[in-house]
Amino acid sequence: MLLLIDAGNTRIKWAMAADDAVVAPNRMSAAWLHSGAVARADWMQLRDIWRLAVDGAADATLRRVLISNVAGAALRDQLQTLLTQLSELLNEQLNAQLNAPSNAPAPQIEWLVSQAALGGIQNKYLQPAQLGCDRFAAAIAAHALFPDQALLVATCGTATTIDAITPDGSFIGGMILPGLGLMATSLALNTAQLPQIAAIDAAAALFADNTEQAIISGCIAAQTGAIEHAVRLHRKQYADVRCILTGGAGVYLTSHLAEPHERLDNLVLIGLHVLAMT
């Protein structure tokens, strides 16, 4: 069994797959045996969630774990401890079933680190290791899904990242700006006369007649404007650019984005799965 983990600042997403199956990138998410997500603060729930998922599988042995973690050292330590506990629990269950020591090895845990070349991507960052490993994994996934195409990957989460990939798989760089929610919240926190935004309304009028909706409209315009600007820049070199929109806030932007695009979920997990089969 293969466990894939996308540990972000807001949520921890995961998927389990058979570790001996070769799956085309466009079929990976459909082939996952289990998948889910929890809020970053609820990381402790994952041990029991994963134990039940592995226990319910035909092959109840967790052999390999691939992790993209951008939420810092504390979460890395927490996940490491949790995976150690999970391995011990699974061994105890197997021992009880066999009525004898199983001696099953602990799963191989791999923490993704961005590097100069991996998974079909040439990383052109000045210091390749400084590229966020989630952006690196998403680029690997996008290039695997759409080989030989110029790509613009907009990941809309706590931050919004907009990354350009060439048809031959070169990650040439990108943009980072505050995410949609963070952008709206920062106005309320730093401006005395502006209200706190309780929820984002994707149907906000472009020229709003109240302050809360005007903030939402402005933030959506800033997000979509940055993506559209990036597409135009990339198109100066490549006439045909495919724009991919991913991340939780993408649902609020898709109807306002003027450029043709497609929404795809779980790009980081797909990128990890591509690497697992490499």
Side-chain angles (χ1 to χ4, degrees):
M1 186 76 69
L2 170 68
L3 174 59
L4 312 166
I5 304 173
D6 171 15
N9 290 296
T10 303
R11 292 194 302 164
I12 303 171
K13 303 172 72 174
W14 62 275
M16 284 188 180
D19 60 347
D20 57 354
V22 177
V23 185
N26 64 342
R27 296 293 302 157
M28 282 179 173
S29 58
W32 293 337
L33 304 175
H34 302 279
S35 61
V38 301
R40 161 72 178 82
D42 296 329
W43 64 273
M44 287 183 292
Q45 298 178 7
L46 287 169
R47 186 192 66 183
D48 291 335
I49 291 172
W50 292 338
R51 179 181 59 80
L52 291 172
V54 173
D55 194 40
D59 178 8
T61 304
L62 182 61
R63 294 186 174 85
R64 194 176 178 193
V65 184
L66 272 72
I67 308 172
S68 164
N69 172 39
V70 296
L75 182 59
R76 178 186 174 114
D77 292 344
Q78 290 164 347
L79 288 174
Q80 184 74 51
T81 299
L82 184 149
L83 288 166
T84 299
Q85 295 172 350
L86 175 65
S87 178
E88 293 170 352
L89 283 172
L90 293 174
N91 261 332
E92 289 175 6
Q93 289 180 190
L94 189 57
N95 291 345
Q97 292 169 4
L98 298 175
N99 198 27
S102 67
N103 296 318
Q108 178 183 352
I109 300 174
E110 302 168 42
W111 301 87
L112 179 62
V113 176
S114 298
Q115 48 197 276
L118 189 69
I121 289 292
Q122 302 294 318
N123 180 357
K124 300 302 183 182
Y125 243 43
L126 288 176
Q127 297 184 45
Q130 288 189 352
L131 175 64
C133 59
D134 56 340
R135 295 168 67 194
F136 193 45
I140 290 169
H143 182 62
L145 288 165
F146 306 107
D148 304 317
Q149 297 185 46
L151 304 172
L152 198 289
V153 180
T155 302
C156 308
T158 305
T160 294
T161 60
I162 307 169
D163 295 320
I165 303 160
T166 67
D168 65 357
S170 290
F171 180 102
I172 59 177
M175 307 173 182
I176 304 175
L177 59 153
L180 181 60
L182 187 59
M183 188 176 282
T185 300
S186 67
L187 278 171
L189 291 177
N190 295 288
T191 310
Q193 299 299 316
L194 294 182
Q196 179 72 46
I197 304 301
I200 300 293
D201 179 5
L206 292 180
F207 294 103
D209 59 5
N210 64 84
T211 301
E212 181 170 327
Q213 293 296 303
I215 291 173
I216 295 170
S217 176
C219 292
I220 289 175
Q223 299 282 317
T224 56
I227 296 169
E228 291 160 6
H229 175 64
V231 171
R232 290 192 295 270
L233 287 176
H234 203 21
R235 205 175 275 145
K236 288 182 178 181
Q237 185 171 3
Y238 302 98
D240 186 16
V241 174
R242 182 186 291 267
C243 180
I244 300 170
L245 191 65
T246 188
V251 66
Y252 303 110
L253 304 180
T254 186
S255 62
H256 299 279
L257 190 57
E259 289 289 347
H261 65 281
E262 53 195 290
R263 286 194 60 226
L264 293 176
D265 293 324
N266 299 314
L267 273 187
V268 173
L269 293 177
I270 292 171
L272 292 173
H273 201 167
V274 169
L275 290 175
M277 296 195 309
T278 301

